[in-house]
Amino acid sequence: MGVAAARLSLGAVSVWLYAENYSSRDHLWGPHAVFPFNSFVRALRQDGSYSLYALSQSRLWFTVVFHLGMGVAVLFMIGWRSRVMTVVHYVFMWSLFHRNLFILDGGDNLLVLVLVYLMFADSGHYFALGARERRERANRPSHGLAWRIGTIAHNAAIAAIVAQVCIVYVAAALFKVQGPLWQNGTALYYIMRVQDFTWPGWSQHFYGSAWLVAVGTYGTILFQAAFPFLLLRRVTRNWAFVGALGMHAGIALFMHLLTFSWVVVSCELLLLEDRDFRRAWKRLQRVQPLLRLRIGVRSRPQLTKQAERRPL
Amino acid sequence: MDDSRRPVGLRTRWALAAVTAVTAVVLVWHFTATFLSVAPVNPLTLRLNRLVDGYTRPFFVQNWKLFAPNPLTADRGILVRARLRTLRRPDRMTAFVDATTPQLDRLHANRFFASRRARVHLGALSALNIGDGPALQLPRKAPRGQETTGQDNLRRRAVTVLQAEASTVASAEWGSAVRQVQIRVVSHDLPPFSQRKAAHWGARAKYQDLPWMPYLTVNP
């Protein structure tokens, strides 16, 4: 279920990305975007990269590709033909990101990496259109060699995504321990104060406290360096997930890096087991009347998806 | 699974073992290369540089420095001025206007659903190293017959993006009379941790002017 939840969540963040930048799409990615078309095409050539947006500078082409990309993101999210859509979605996201490299963050980088790994996984087994029928079909014990190879690929993909997240944390920790401000425990103060990442009216309360800054700075390094080892046992694995959730909630809230945090946590959904999802769903069902009151009446399948995506 | 108990033929078993082995080798190689491509410089990255680069570029390029080793310790922004050509005055120079603050205000007004516009010139400035080093590092011309380095390519793109961003600001401010734009990069050190609650912080803002650049047409 983890890999399906990750697909759903990564799809949702992609849709979010398209939506939040929809009104500035011309400025960021259009035919006369802030990264001029000629420079863009030259950059692709220098980097050995590609982008669908480079095929034509016409306004029509841009509009078509952009909106197709949005549609693909939605289809990927809801798990329609999940394997094919993973590949197509990857091509569109890569194209979009490489149209303008200056507005990207680690979340975008991680998203296109993980999409590559997801191509080898069966992410449409749960939380997807027609998933139930496919599951019932898969229960028939007539699997051949191809099915077994698919299983190997699926497991390898999951291992790859987890390994990728470990590399993110370990590399980040290795760079942090080299920095004087991380060593003396004040780095978090500068990060929270610099105008690119501050939250006016709130951040000063955080960095006003010597305790919060020092514990937060060292805690971040410690957590990132410890992350791979926390995955070795089931209990500590759950701590790792909760810790990461807390850290990324802080990053999203204070440093307005919502999509970055969202992508990383999506990948970390793979750390949870099926029974964690089931337990979370049961717990949510218990408070369901409350949930209904809060978000209004929704059709049931939608509620299922949303609830199972939130494992706490 | 009931399925796993079904007896499998020897050939199938060999095929599966082979697939498993190949997968394992691919994974180990992929993540060794990935790790070396993102790790701090060390003896192994120096030795395997070309191999790793050849594998990871362009599709597995990644960077996880994430505010490290040195987080930004200065507020940065750009001011923009323009040369205008109007009927009455063929070469009029405007005063500087602040291009960064309005972007940040918009970002702070809507923290979770903000367009990435504000990132455009902050991202470009990061590529030019302002904040970390003493000064902006502008792209250098490659010596004749040599290829430009990746770093210089990136800087050249960053300058182009700044030029386009300045043009956007200028045309919003002064309309279609804009002929050239100039960017002044401002960097203002934050107070050190010990003075974080001080009401007044005396650091002077530092400036660096980019050369005048022609106006570019950009979608607003």
Side-chain angles (χ1 to χ4, degrees):
Chain A
M1 281 184 180
V3 70
R7 185 216 73 235
L8 180 69
S9 181
L10 289 171
V13 68
S14 313
V15 173
W16 187 278
L17 253 167
Y18 275 108
E20 75 177 355
N21 293 294
Y22 190 78
S23 59
S24 34
R25 63 188 187 282
D26 286 339
H27 184 67
L28 297 176
W29 301 298
H32 294 282
V34 72
F35 190 37
F37 193 82
N38 297 339
S39 310
F40 157 56
V41 175
R42 199 177 318 130
L44 287 181
R45 217 173 31 236
Q46 281 165 346
D47 297 348
S49 176
Y50 72 91
S51 171
L52 295 175
Y53 293 94
L55 293 181
S56 157
Q57 202 184 351
S58 83
R59 152 128 244 111
L60 179 71
W61 177 248
F62 167 71
T63 308
V64 168
V65 174
F66 188 85
H67 288 90
L68 265 180
M70 283 184 86
V72 167
V74 172
L75 292 178
F76 170 74
M77 176 177 75
I78 62 176
W80 183 74
R81 313 227 160 192
S82 58
R83 236 179 250 267
V84 181
M85 286 332 269
T86 307
V87 179
V88 180
H89 184 51
Y90 170 72
V91 170
F92 274 94
M93 290 317 273
W94 179 275
S95 297
L96 186 73
F97 290 158
H98 280 249
R99 177 65 186 88
N100 186 348
L101 293 166
F102 290 97
I103 55 171
L104 303 183
D105 59 37
D108 310 322
N109 194 338
L110 186 60
L111 177 62
V112 287
L113 292 167
V114 166
L115 283 175
V116 174
Y117 308 140
L118 268 184
M119 289 175 198
F120 297 94
D122 175 14
S123 64
H125 209 63
Y126 291 96
F127 316 134
L129 276 188
R132 180 162 304 187
E133 295 85 75
R134 272 203 304 283
R135 275 205 300 278
E136 275 157 14
R137 237 182 298 140
N139 275 340
R140 282 178 310 191
S142 60
H143 307 305
L145 184 65
W147 182 83
R148 285 164 196 275
I149 290 175
T151 309
I152 294 173
H154 178 81
N155 291 332
I158 291 175
I161 295 172
V162 174
Q164 178 66 57
V165 175
C166 288
I167 282 186
V168 171
Y169 283 131
V170 170
L174 282 179
F175 279 106
K176 284 186 175 72
V177 293
Q178 300 183 20
L181 297 175
W182 288 98
Q183 290 164 3
N184 71 20
T186 62
L188 209 53
Y189 155 67
Y190 294 96
I191 294 169
M192 295 187 91
R193 179 144 186 183
V194 75
Q195 61 183 5
D196 311 24
F197 300 108
T198 195
W199 185 8
W202 294 89
S203 293
Q204 57 257 47
H205 298 303
F206 189 100
Y207 67 66
S209 154
W211 275 93
L212 288 178
V213 170
V215 171
T217 304
Y218 288 154
T220 306
I221 302 177
L222 208 63
F223 176 75
Q224 294 188 330
F227 186 81
F229 306 101
L230 291 177
L231 303 187
L232 295 178
R233 300 199 79 99
R234 200 184 129 69
V235 181
T236 52
R237 196 153 61 223
N238 289 347
W239 296 352
F241 181 77
V242 173
L245 204 62
M247 183 173 85
H248 285 290
I251 292 173
L253 195 63
F254 278 95
M255 291 148 69
H256 48 82
L257 290 171
L258 173 70
T259 53
F260 166 70
S261 293
W262 192 344
V263 170
V264 183
V265 171
S266 305
C267 300
E268 286 164 349
L269 288 172
L270 292 183
L271 304 180
L272 301 176
E273 289 168 25
D274 286 5
R275 54 177 162 167
D276 298 321
F277 285 99
R278 293 214 171 84
R279 209 181 301 154
W281 170 229
K282 250 184 216 142
R283 207 168 292 172
L284 267 170
Q285 270 180 326
R286 230 176 294 151
V287 292
Q288 201 182 348
L290 216 139
L291 209 73
R292 240 186 219 153
L293 217 75
R294 286 262 279 303
I295 60 175
V297 181
R298 293 248 174 120
S299 68
R300 206 178 149 77
Q302 243 177 340
L303 196 64
T304 317
K305 274 183 207 161
Q306 283 196 342
E308 301 229 22
R309 218 180 74 211
R310 300 174 47 191
L312 273 193
Chain B
M1 282 266 168
D2 51 293
D3 181 58
S4 58
R5 278 188 214 129
R6 238 162 30 120
V8 267
L10 196 63
R11 206 185 269 178
T12 313
R13 212 175 288 177
W14 271 108
L16 286 175
V19 170
T20 310
V22 169
T23 310
V25 169
V26 168
L27 279 182
V28 168
W29 159 247
H30 176 77
F31 284 106
T32 309
T34 298
F35 181 74
L36 289 176
S37 77
V38 296
V41 176
N42 63 58
L44 213 50
T45 59
L46 289 176
R47 174 167 296 184
L48 300 176
N49 192 10
R50 290 187 112 174
L51 190 65
V52 166
D53 250 25
Y55 175 72
T56 53
R57 277 172 199 283
F59 297 110
F60 294 112
V61 169
Q62 41 193 300
N63 168 12
W64 307 113
K65 290 187 181 173
L66 310 177
F67 304 102
N70 301 305
L72 288 172
T73 54
D75 286 333
R76 314 155 305 160
I78 60 172
L79 307 175
V80 174
R81 67 175 170 182
R83 279 210 169 106
L84 315 179
R85 191 191 299 156
T86 57
L87 273 180
R88 269 190 295 160
R89 295 174 64 185
D91 185 16
R92 189 191 133 206
M93 188 153 53
T94 69
F96 277 110
V97 295
D98 181 350
T100 302
T101 308
Q103 301 277 7
L104 287 170
D105 287 346
R106 215 174 305 153
L107 180 68
H108 292 312
N110 190 349
R111 303 178 57 77
F112 298 116
F113 201 71
S115 131
R116 293 199 169 177
R117 282 191 86 120
R119 289 200 193 172
V120 172
H121 65 258
L122 293 171
L125 285 180
S126 297
L128 295 174
N129 280 345
I130 189 79
D132 274 344
L136 238 56
Q137 297 183 16
L138 296 175
R140 292 155 302 185
K141 272 221 172 84
R144 203 170 283 235
Q146 280 185 29
E147 273 190 40
T148 51
T149 64
Q151 213 27 270
D152 278 327
N153 282 338
L154 181 67
R155 291 191 184 124
R156 195 159 297 119
R157 293 171 202 172
V159 171
T160 309
V161 165
L162 287 174
Q163 178 188 3
E165 189 71 359
S167 302
T168 316
V169 173
S171 75
E173 200 78 23
W174 302 292
S176 58
V178 179
R179 291 292 170 268
Q180 285 187 312
V181 289
Q182 189 183 31
I183 293 168
R184 169 167 290 179
V185 181
V186 187
S187 164
H188 192 215
D189 285 339
L190 295 176
F193 181 75
S194 55
Q195 297 193 39
R196 67 195 185 282
K197 291 173 181 168
H200 298 288
W201 162 240
R204 285 249 207 74
K206 286 176 271 184
Y207 299 96
Q208 186 175 352
D209 290 350
L210 300 188
W212 283 94
M213 294 184 276
Y215 171 81
L216 290 179
T217 311
V218 182
N219 268 321

